[in-house]
Amino acid sequence: MQDIRAGEVRVDLPPAADAALRFIGVIHTPWRDRKDCPRQGKVDGPECRVEVFEPWGPALMGLEGFETVELLYWLHQSRRDLVVQNPGHTKDTRGTFALRSPVRPNPIGTALVRLERIEGTVLVVRGLDCLDGTPLVDIKPDRCAYTPLAPPKG
Ligand code: SAM
């Protein structure tokens, strides 16, 4: 578990008694250490491979029409018990819900990524910021105002 920095506040976690997640895949990135990950992914970042497990392959049908896809992932190496954090190692502490820090009660990360291509049940994307081996929680097409149908590409 990570150290607590100056000004940070931890709490005793209440017992978990809620929804059980089903991880639907795993994300492969070039980063093995948190300190090497970008703070936020960039669409000109390296290609990453989002492996979708069976039986969820058919759930990708139609996704190929989208250029931008939202990924939700479980920042599995995060501690979950800080309510006040000091992300910059300075005196500038902030509440967890005022930060996009990976340290949160339910460490869900989100990223809007560029979908380069789909190879079987693997999405090849750019724009991620997570460790290699990060569990995948969900995939959603980019938001659109009235219809969830993808516009034709090109
Ligand atoms: N883009 C996501 C968001 O905004 O919800 C995550 C942003 S968070 C600031 C990204 C940082 O989380 C990375 O720079 C890295 O330090 C850390 N991180 C990445 N993968 C992680 C993992 N699997 N477990 C814990 N921390 C992780």
Side-chain angles (χ1 to χ4, degrees), residues 94-125:
R94 293 206 188 161
T96 291
F97 301 141
L99 293 166
R100 292 200 70 99
S101 160
V103 175
R104 44 206 327 113
N106 296 301
I108 293 172
T110 67
L112 283 174
V113 298
R114 182 195 299 276
L115 180 59
E116 297 286 352
R117 60 190 179 278
I118 300 181
E119 298 175 356
T121 56
V122 174
L123 313 186
V124 181
V125 306

mmCIF file of all heavy atoms in Angstrom, residues 94-125:
data_model
loop_
_atom_site.group_PDB
_atom_site.id
_atom_site.type_symbol
_atom_site.label_atom_id
_atom_site.label_comp_id
_atom_site.label_asym_id
_atom_site.label_seq_id
_atom_site.Cartn_x
_atom_site.Cartn_y
_atom_site.Cartn_z
ATOM 1 N N ARG A 94 -6.340 18.276 -1.487
ATOM 2 C CA ARG A 94 -7.722 18.375 -1.985
ATOM 3 C C ARG A 94 -8.485 17.112 -1.635
ATOM 4 O O ARG A 94 -7.899 16.036 -1.476
ATOM 5 C CB ARG A 94 -7.740 18.487 -3.508
ATOM 6 C CG ARG A 94 -7.144 19.762 -3.970
ATOM 7 C CD ARG A 94 -7.668 20.183 -5.296
ATOM 8 N NE ARG A 94 -6.881 21.332 -5.718
ATOM 9 C CZ ARG A 94 -6.793 21.755 -6.944
ATOM 10 N NH1 ARG A 94 -7.472 21.153 -7.888
ATOM 11 N NH2 ARG A 94 -6.068 22.791 -7.237
ATOM 12 N N GLY A 95 -9.820 17.277 -1.622
ATOM 13 C CA GLY A 95 -10.676 16.120 -1.395
ATOM 14 C C GLY A 95 -10.607 15.167 -2.576
ATOM 15 O O GLY A 95 -10.436 15.574 -3.730
ATOM 16 N N THR A 96 -10.748 13.899 -2.265
ATOM 17 C CA THR A 96 -10.662 12.857 -3.300
ATOM 18 C C THR A 96 -11.606 13.135 -4.463
ATOM 19 O O THR A 96 -11.245 12.927 -5.632
ATOM 20 C CB THR A 96 -10.985 11.492 -2.648
ATOM 21 O OG1 THR A 96 -9.902 11.172 -1.775
ATOM 22 C CG2 THR A 96 -11.175 10.384 -3.656
ATOM 23 N N PHE A 97 -12.814 13.628 -4.161
ATOM 24 C CA PHE A 97 -13.783 13.803 -5.244
ATOM 25 C C PHE A 97 -13.522 15.080 -6.047
ATOM 26 O O PHE A 97 -14.248 15.365 -7.009
ATOM 27 C CB PHE A 97 -15.210 13.770 -4.702
ATOM 28 C CG PHE A 97 -15.535 12.475 -3.995
ATOM 29 C CD1 PHE A 97 -16.304 12.467 -2.841
ATOM 30 C CD2 PHE A 97 -15.060 11.270 -4.483
ATOM 31 C CE1 PHE A 97 -16.587 11.270 -2.186
ATOM 32 C CE2 PHE A 97 -15.335 10.063 -3.837
ATOM 33 C CZ PHE A 97 -16.108 10.069 -2.686
ATOM 34 N N ALA A 98 -12.511 15.832 -5.658
ATOM 35 C CA ALA A 98 -12.103 16.994 -6.450
ATOM 36 C C ALA A 98 -10.845 16.676 -7.265
ATOM 37 O O ALA A 98 -10.195 17.588 -7.776
ATOM 38 C CB ALA A 98 -11.859 18.190 -5.529
ATOM 39 N N LEU A 99 -10.520 15.396 -7.344
ATOM 40 C CA LEU A 99 -9.316 14.965 -8.068
ATOM 41 C C LEU A 99 -9.652 13.823 -9.021
ATOM 42 O O LEU A 99 -10.618 13.087 -8.792
ATOM 43 C CB LEU A 99 -8.270 14.439 -7.066
ATOM 44 C CG LEU A 99 -7.661 15.450 -6.119
ATOM 45 C CD1 LEU A 99 -6.925 14.715 -4.985
ATOM 46 C CD2 LEU A 99 -6.688 16.359 -6.856
ATOM 47 N N ARG A 100 -8.782 13.634 -10.032
ATOM 48 C CA ARG A 100 -8.903 12.435 -10.881
ATOM 49 C C ARG A 100 -7.847 11.409 -10.481
ATOM 50 O O ARG A 100 -7.482 10.525 -11.254
ATOM 51 C CB ARG A 100 -8.782 12.803 -12.362
ATOM 52 C CG ARG A 100 -9.962 13.617 -12.866
ATOM 53 C CD ARG A 100 -10.104 13.580 -14.367
ATOM 54 N NE ARG A 100 -10.524 12.295 -14.847
ATOM 55 C CZ ARG A 100 -11.781 11.970 -15.178
ATOM 56 N NH1 ARG A 100 -12.742 12.873 -15.087
ATOM 57 N NH2 ARG A 100 -12.078 10.764 -15.607
ATOM 58 N N SER A 101 -7.389 11.506 -9.268
ATOM 59 C CA SER A 101 -6.410 10.560 -8.739
ATOM 60 C C SER A 101 -6.936 9.130 -8.839
ATOM 61 O O SER A 101 -8.133 8.886 -8.691
ATOM 62 C CB SER A 101 -6.167 10.914 -7.269
ATOM 63 O OG SER A 101 -5.607 9.814 -6.598
ATOM 64 N N PRO A 102 -6.026 8.156 -9.017
ATOM 65 C CA PRO A 102 -6.467 6.752 -9.002
ATOM 66 C C PRO A 102 -6.882 6.287 -7.609
ATOM 67 O O PRO A 102 -7.525 5.243 -7.467
ATOM 68 C CB PRO A 102 -5.222 6.001 -9.487
ATOM 69 C CG PRO A 102 -4.078 6.906 -9.195
ATOM 70 C CD PRO A 102 -4.599 8.308 -9.314
ATOM 71 N N VAL A 103 -6.521 7.049 -6.591
ATOM 72 C CA VAL A 103 -6.844 6.665 -5.206
ATOM 73 C C VAL A 103 -8.243 7.162 -4.888
ATOM 74 O O VAL A 103 -8.487 8.360 -4.783
ATOM 75 C CB VAL A 103 -5.807 7.280 -4.237
ATOM 76 C CG1 VAL A 103 -6.195 7.001 -2.796
ATOM 77 C CG2 VAL A 103 -4.428 6.740 -4.549
ATOM 78 N N ARG A 104 -9.177 6.247 -4.784
ATOM 79 C CA ARG A 104 -10.569 6.593 -4.526
ATOM 80 C C ARG A 104 -11.292 5.357 -3.996
ATOM 81 O O ARG A 104 -10.797 4.246 -4.128
ATOM 82 C CB ARG A 104 -11.257 7.159 -5.769
ATOM 83 C CG ARG A 104 -10.998 6.444 -7.041
ATOM 84 C CD ARG A 104 -11.154 7.341 -8.295
ATOM 85 N NE ARG A 104 -12.150 8.355 -8.154
ATOM 86 C CZ ARG A 104 -11.871 9.689 -8.118
ATOM 87 N NH1 ARG A 104 -10.646 10.127 -8.274
ATOM 88 N NH2 ARG A 104 -12.835 10.561 -7.962
ATOM 89 N N PRO A 105 -12.465 5.545 -3.397
ATOM 90 C CA PRO A 105 -13.113 4.392 -2.759
ATOM 91 C C PRO A 105 -13.415 3.258 -3.727
ATOM 92 O O PRO A 105 -13.315 2.087 -3.373
ATOM 93 C CB PRO A 105 -14.401 4.984 -2.166
ATOM 94 C CG PRO A 105 -14.527 6.373 -2.679
ATOM 95 C CD PRO A 105 -13.190 6.807 -3.160
ATOM 96 N N ASN A 106 -13.794 3.606 -4.934
ATOM 97 C CA ASN A 106 -13.985 2.615 -6.004
ATOM 98 C C ASN A 106 -13.101 3.057 -7.159
ATOM 99 O O ASN A 106 -13.475 3.968 -7.914
ATOM 100 C CB ASN A 106 -15.455 2.548 -6.437
ATOM 101 C CG ASN A 106 -16.335 2.067 -5.300
ATOM 102 O OD1 ASN A 106 -16.143 0.967 -4.783
ATOM 103 N ND2 ASN A 106 -17.264 2.895 -4.875
ATOM 104 N N PRO A 107 -11.914 2.465 -7.279
ATOM 105 C CA PRO A 107 -10.898 3.039 -8.174
ATOM 106 C C PRO A 107 -11.167 2.763 -9.659
ATOM 107 O O PRO A 107 -10.461 2.016 -10.319
ATOM 108 C CB PRO A 107 -9.607 2.385 -7.692
ATOM 109 C CG PRO A 107 -10.026 1.098 -7.088
ATOM 110 C CD PRO A 107 -11.394 1.312 -6.506
ATOM 111 N N ILE A 108 -12.209 3.403 -10.145
ATOM 112 C CA ILE A 108 -12.574 3.287 -11.558
ATOM 113 C C ILE A 108 -11.898 4.409 -12.326
ATOM 114 O O ILE A 108 -12.018 5.581 -11.958
ATOM 115 C CB ILE A 108 -14.103 3.362 -11.727
ATOM 116 C CG1 ILE A 108 -14.751 2.120 -11.100
ATOM 117 C CG2 ILE A 108 -14.488 3.477 -13.203
ATOM 118 C CD1 ILE A 108 -16.256 2.172 -11.045
ATOM 119 N N GLY A 109 -11.170 4.053 -13.367
ATOM 120 C CA GLY A 109 -10.591 5.032 -14.276
ATOM 121 C C GLY A 109 -11.416 5.072 -15.553
ATOM 122 O O GLY A 109 -12.015 4.066 -15.950
ATOM 123 N N THR A 110 -11.449 6.231 -16.177
ATOM 124 C CA THR A 110 -12.123 6.344 -17.467
ATOM 125 C C THR A 110 -11.190 7.044 -18.446
ATOM 126 O O THR A 110 -10.401 7.910 -18.058
ATOM 127 C CB THR A 110 -13.446 7.142 -17.380
ATOM 128 O OG1 THR A 110 -13.149 8.499 -17.069
ATOM 129 C CG2 THR A 110 -14.367 6.571 -16.329
ATOM 130 N N ALA A 111 -11.320 6.666 -19.702
ATOM 131 C CA ALA A 111 -10.532 7.336 -20.746
ATOM 132 C C ALA A 111 -11.313 7.291 -22.051
ATOM 133 O O ALA A 111 -11.917 6.274 -22.391
ATOM 134 C CB ALA A 111 -9.183 6.638 -20.930
ATOM 135 N N LEU A 112 -11.302 8.426 -22.743
ATOM 136 C CA LEU A 112 -11.818 8.465 -24.109
ATOM 137 C C LEU A 112 -10.631 8.150 -25.007
ATOM 138 O O LEU A 112 -9.649 8.900 -25.021
ATOM 139 C CB LEU A 112 -12.373 9.855 -24.431
ATOM 140 C CG LEU A 112 -13.744 10.175 -23.853
ATOM 141 C CD1 LEU A 112 -14.099 11.632 -24.138
ATOM 142 C CD2 LEU A 112 -14.813 9.256 -24.414
ATOM 143 N N VAL A 113 -10.699 7.039 -25.708
ATOM 144 C CA VAL A 113 -9.553 6.597 -26.497
ATOM 145 C C VAL A 113 -9.911 6.591 -27.976
ATOM 146 O O VAL A 113 -11.081 6.479 -28.352
ATOM 147 C CB VAL A 113 -9.091 5.189 -26.055
ATOM 148 C CG1 VAL A 113 -8.635 5.213 -24.601
ATOM 149 C CG2 VAL A 113 -10.167 4.139 -26.279
ATOM 150 N N ARG A 114 -8.873 6.708 -28.791
ATOM 151 C CA ARG A 114 -9.077 6.605 -30.242
ATOM 152 C C ARG A 114 -9.021 5.132 -30.630
ATOM 153 O O ARG A 114 -8.037 4.440 -30.332
ATOM 154 C CB ARG A 114 -7.977 7.371 -30.982
ATOM 155 C CG ARG A 114 -8.169 7.347 -32.498
ATOM 156 C CD ARG A 114 -6.916 7.779 -33.223
ATOM 157 N NE ARG A 114 -6.538 9.140 -32.880
ATOM 158 C CZ ARG A 114 -7.044 10.233 -33.463
ATOM 159 N NH1 ARG A 114 -7.915 10.097 -34.425
ATOM 160 N NH2 ARG A 114 -6.653 11.432 -33.094
ATOM 161 N N LEU A 115 -10.088 4.674 -31.266
ATOM 162 C CA LEU A 115 -10.136 3.275 -31.702
ATOM 163 C C LEU A 115 -9.445 3.165 -33.051
ATOM 164 O O LEU A 115 -9.968 3.626 -34.071
ATOM 165 C CB LEU A 115 -11.593 2.815 -31.786
ATOM 166 C CG LEU A 115 -11.821 1.376 -32.225
ATOM 167 C CD1 LEU A 115 -11.131 0.380 -31.293
ATOM 168 C CD2 LEU A 115 -13.320 1.077 -32.302
ATOM 169 N N GLU A 116 -8.263 2.570 -33.048
ATOM 170 C CA GLU A 116 -7.500 2.427 -34.298
ATOM 171 C C GLU A 116 -8.067 1.289 -35.144
ATOM 172 O O GLU A 116 -8.250 1.414 -36.341
ATOM 173 C CB GLU A 116 -6.029 2.148 -33.992
ATOM 174 C CG GLU A 116 -5.320 3.271 -33.243
ATOM 175 C CD GLU A 116 -5.026 4.472 -34.141
ATOM 176 O OE1 GLU A 116 -5.230 4.377 -35.374
ATOM 177 O OE2 GLU A 116 -4.608 5.509 -33.614
ATOM 178 N N ARG A 117 -8.329 0.150 -34.501
ATOM 179 C CA ARG A 117 -8.887 -1.008 -35.214
ATOM 180 C C ARG A 117 -9.295 -2.064 -34.205
ATOM 181 O O ARG A 117 -8.941 -1.973 -33.030
ATOM 182 C CB ARG A 117 -7.864 -1.589 -36.213
ATOM 183 C CG ARG A 117 -6.584 -2.061 -35.568
ATOM 184 C CD ARG A 117 -5.498 -2.411 -36.604
ATOM 185 N NE ARG A 117 -4.278 -2.837 -35.916
ATOM 186 C CZ ARG A 117 -3.383 -1.987 -35.407
ATOM 187 N NH1 ARG A 117 -3.538 -0.681 -35.521
ATOM 188 N NH2 ARG A 117 -2.317 -2.453 -34.783
ATOM 189 N N ILE A 118 -10.047 -3.036 -34.718
ATOM 190 C CA ILE A 118 -10.433 -4.171 -33.885
ATOM 191 C C ILE A 118 -9.874 -5.427 -34.534
ATOM 192 O O ILE A 118 -10.063 -5.654 -35.736
ATOM 193 C CB ILE A 118 -11.969 -4.276 -33.747
ATOM 194 C CG1 ILE A 118 -12.522 -2.992 -33.097
ATOM 195 C CG2 ILE A 118 -12.346 -5.489 -32.902
ATOM 196 C CD1 ILE A 118 -14.033 -2.985 -32.877
ATOM 197 N N GLU A 119 -9.127 -6.209 -33.745
ATOM 198 C CA GLU A 119 -8.551 -7.467 -34.236
ATOM 199 C C GLU A 119 -9.213 -8.596 -33.457
ATOM 200 O O GLU A 119 -8.816 -8.874 -32.315
ATOM 201 C CB GLU A 119 -7.041 -7.480 -34.023
ATOM 202 C CG GLU A 119 -6.307 -6.376 -34.794
ATOM 203 C CD GLU A 119 -4.811 -6.317 -34.481
ATOM 204 O OE1 GLU A 119 -4.331 -7.070 -33.603
ATOM 205 O OE2 GLU A 119 -4.136 -5.484 -35.115
ATOM 206 N N GLY A 120 -10.251 -9.180 -34.020
ATOM 207 C CA GLY A 120 -10.987 -10.227 -33.303
ATOM 208 C C GLY A 120 -11.659 -9.627 -32.077
ATOM 209 O O GLY A 120 -12.561 -8.790 -32.204
ATOM 210 N N THR A 121 -11.219 -10.034 -30.899
ATOM 211 C CA THR A 121 -11.795 -9.467 -29.671
ATOM 212 C C THR A 121 -10.792 -8.546 -28.975
ATOM 213 O O THR A 121 -10.874 -8.344 -27.767
ATOM 214 C CB THR A 121 -12.265 -10.576 -28.713
ATOM 215 O OG1 THR A 121 -11.165 -11.443 -28.452
ATOM 216 C CG2 THR A 121 -13.419 -11.353 -29.304
ATOM 217 N N VAL A 122 -9.870 -7.994 -29.738
ATOM 218 C CA VAL A 122 -8.894 -7.039 -29.179
ATOM 219 C C VAL A 122 -9.120 -5.672 -29.818
ATOM 220 O O VAL A 122 -9.131 -5.557 -31.051
ATOM 221 C CB VAL A 122 -7.446 -7.508 -29.428
ATOM 222 C CG1 VAL A 122 -6.451 -6.447 -28.985
ATOM 223 C CG2 VAL A 122 -7.175 -8.828 -28.703
ATOM 224 N N LEU A 123 -9.324 -4.666 -28.979
ATOM 225 C CA LEU A 123 -9.402 -3.288 -29.480
ATOM 226 C C LEU A 123 -7.992 -2.707 -29.427
ATOM 227 O O LEU A 123 -7.333 -2.773 -28.383
ATOM 228 C CB LEU A 123 -10.298 -2.411 -28.610
ATOM 229 C CG LEU A 123 -11.670 -2.931 -28.197
ATOM 230 C CD1 LEU A 123 -12.427 -1.828 -27.467
ATOM 231 C CD2 LEU A 123 -12.441 -3.409 -29.398
ATOM 232 N N VAL A 124 -7.555 -2.141 -30.523
ATOM 233 C CA VAL A 124 -6.258 -1.454 -30.546
ATOM 234 C C VAL A 124 -6.569 0.036 -30.452
ATOM 235 O O VAL A 124 -7.276 0.582 -31.314
ATOM 236 C CB VAL A 124 -5.461 -1.805 -31.810
ATOM 237 C CG1 VAL A 124 -4.112 -1.100 -31.793
ATOM 238 C CG2 VAL A 124 -5.280 -3.318 -31.925
ATOM 239 N N VAL A 125 -6.093 0.662 -29.385
ATOM 240 C CA VAL A 125 -6.496 2.042 -29.080
ATOM 241 C C VAL A 125 -5.279 2.891 -28.730
ATOM 242 O O VAL A 125 -4.224 2.381 -28.375
ATOM 243 C CB VAL A 125 -7.500 2.079 -27.887
ATOM 244 C CG1 VAL A 125 -8.689 1.166 -28.139
ATOM 245 C CG2 VAL A 125 -6.824 1.724 -26.568
#
